[in-house]
């Protein structure tokens, strides 16, 4: 009789008070282990590998916007020293060529940005330059999208984006780097 | 009254639960201290450069990370001070990238393989030589989708 009543008490009193704590524990554990930090960066598409150097000599010189960077992180744009902050505007002018300048590109479809760095160039400088070129193209595409579709490139649907991409293709050619300033 | 007294006499008293939260919190802190996030085992120091034209990577399972930078102080007696490549949680050579990418491809459904992105987390002060070697290796294994990891520029 006494034993039976004690067993009743045992089954009736499952303590649920700690369940909340366990739940919180799990919750916090997952909160801690999940990395919320999103990774952002400049998304590029590398060209396929081929052993022979591409021949760019037959290209019309006016269609090539050549950028050379040396191991001291100095720029040579179309044969003249330049600074990174000017790069975006110069690239935009070169790609669109609004004044029909015979030294700038014939049309955006033919414009080629040629980038060549040294093995001793700082990655930071390289990315800065890449960022400016991407910025130039993004701005041009936005301007074109606004003109044609009345909305920025990000808000267009896939078909409209394709039209914009065909009108202003992003052609960036990267030559094998020179080897003057490789660090030891 | 007599009934109440009888119960108290026969069965053990209710377990004290007041200290349970403390125990749980102790466990929590234990795990917080002990858990090592795989991604966070950093051997090379990476401070990514700043940029403005950023895209964010969405599918984490389709992203693999290659770190390039100088080894942190703790590992300098093993790996030296010149820039090195870190794959997963170990220092590797450029020719190991092939296996690293192939191994990731095995873990991904076949139709999603073209969507695999390699995130290059490269220190800003590293020179392009080692970065070019990595890019060349990636091109050789047909891993063309690459993300140059960067921080948003705050003007």
């Amino acid at each position: 009789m006494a034993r039976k009543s004690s067993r009743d008490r045992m089954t009736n009193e499952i303590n649920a008070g700690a369940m909340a704590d366990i739940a919180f524990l799990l919750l916090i554990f997952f909160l801690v282990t999940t990395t919320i930090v999103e990774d952002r960066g400049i998304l590029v598409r590398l060209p396929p590998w081929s052993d022979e150097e591409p021949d760019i000599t037959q290209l019309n010189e006016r269609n090539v916007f050549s950028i050379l960077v040396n191991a001291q992180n100095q720029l040579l744009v179309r044969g003249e020293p330049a600074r990174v902050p000017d790069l975006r505007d110069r690239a935009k002018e070169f790609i669109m060529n609004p004044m029909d300048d015979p030294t700038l590109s014939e049309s955006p479809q033919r414009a080629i940005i040629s980038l060549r760095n040294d093995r001793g160039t700082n990655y930071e400088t390289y990315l800065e330059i890449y960022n400016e070129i991407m910025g130039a193209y993004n701005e041009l595409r936005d301007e074109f999208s606004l003109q044609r579709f009345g909305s920025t490139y990000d808000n267009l649907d896939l078909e409209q984006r394709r039209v914009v991409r065909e009108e202003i293709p992003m052609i960036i050619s990267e030559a094998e780097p020179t080897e003057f300033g490789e660090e030891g | 009254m007599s009934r109440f007294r009888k119960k108290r006499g026969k069965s053990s008293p209710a377990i004290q639960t007041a200290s349970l939260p403390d125990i749980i919190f102790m466990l929590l802190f234990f795990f917080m201290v002990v858990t090592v996030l795989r991604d966070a085992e950093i051997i090379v120091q990476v401070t990514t450069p700043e940029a403005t034209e950023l895209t964010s990577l969405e599918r984490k399972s389709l992203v693999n990370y290659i770190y390039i930078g100088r080894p942190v102080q703790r590992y300098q007696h093993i790996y030296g001070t010149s820039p090195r490549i870190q794959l997963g949680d170990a220092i590797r050579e450029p020719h190991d990238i092939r296996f690293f990418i192939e191994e990731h491809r095995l873990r991904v459904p076949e139709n999603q393989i073209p969507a695999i992105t390699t995130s290059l987390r490269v220190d800003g002060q590293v020179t392009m030589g080692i970065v070019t070697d990595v890019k060349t290796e990636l091109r050789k294994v047909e891993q063309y989708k690459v993300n140059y990891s960067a921080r948003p520029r705050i003007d």
Side-chain angles (χ1 to χ4, degrees), chain A residues 137-156:
Chain A
Y137 270 109
N138 286 347
E139 281 178 22
L140 289 177
R141 283 179 175 181
D142 266 348
E143 283 166 20
F144 180 81
S145 307
L146 273 173
Q147 224 171 53
R148 176 74 69 91
F149 302 109
S151 166
T152 56
Y153 182 71
D154 285 332
N155 298 326
L156 299 182

Side-chain angles (χ1 to χ4, degrees), chain A residues 9-182:
Chain A
R9 278 169 57 82
M10 297 277 282
T11 49
N12 288 344
E13 278 189 28
I14 295 174
N15 198 340
M19 287 293 252
D21 296 307
I22 295 166
F24 273 117
L25 175 78
L26 277 170
L27 173 74
I28 294 167
F29 180 74
F30 281 111
L31 274 177
V32 169
T33 48
T34 312
T35 47
I36 310 163
V37 185
E38 59 168 351
D39 193 34
R40 307 179 77 188
I42 297 176
L43 201 62
V44 300
R45 195 164 186 87
L46 299 180
W49 174 258
S50 70
D51 284 318
E52 64 261 26
E53 285 266 306
D55 188 21
I56 54 163
T57 46
Q58 79 265 35
L59 284 172
N60 195 337
E61 204 183 313
R62 67 177 282 195
N63 288 324
V64 180
F65 188 79
S66 69
I67 304 170
L68 286 159
V69 199
N70 70 4
Q72 279 74 47
N73 304 318
Q74 292 159 329
L75 264 73
L76 206 62
V77 175
R78 308 196 96 186
E80 290 162 29
R83 295 183 318 123
V84 177
D86 305 329
L87 210 52
R88 189 180 297 221
D89 287 333
R90 281 196 63 181
K92 280 173 75 176
E93 194 190 352
F94 162 78
I95 296 160
M96 293 314 283
N97 195 6
M99 303 299 193
D100 272 330
D101 189 323
T103 60
L104 302 180
S105 84
E106 291 170 70
S107 71
Q109 291 90 349
R110 297 206 175 162
I112 291 172
I113 309 278
S114 157
L115 178 58
R116 183 167 209 172
N117 56 274
D118 190 83
R119 286 181 72 89
T121 305
N122 255 1
Y123 176 70
E124 195 170 20
T125 311
Y126 168 81
L127 205 66
E128 226 174 338
I129 293 165
Y130 216 105
N131 185 60
E132 292 308 305
I133 299 169
M134 292 279 278
Y137 270 109
N138 286 347
E139 281 178 22
L140 289 177
R141 283 179 175 181
D142 266 348
E143 283 166 20
F144 180 81
S145 307
L146 273 173
Q147 224 171 53
R148 176 74 69 91
F149 302 109
S151 166
T152 56
Y153 182 71
D154 285 332
N155 298 326
L156 299 182
D157 61 39
L158 287 175
E159 183 58 27
Q160 289 170 329
R161 282 189 193 198
R162 203 181 52 79
V163 172
V164 177
R165 275 207 307 274
E166 268 173 23
E167 200 64 35
I168 306 173
M170 194 184 308
I171 309 168
I172 301 173
S173 146
E174 283 183 71
E176 282 297 299
T178 51
E179 301 187 16
F180 297 118
E182 173 83 281

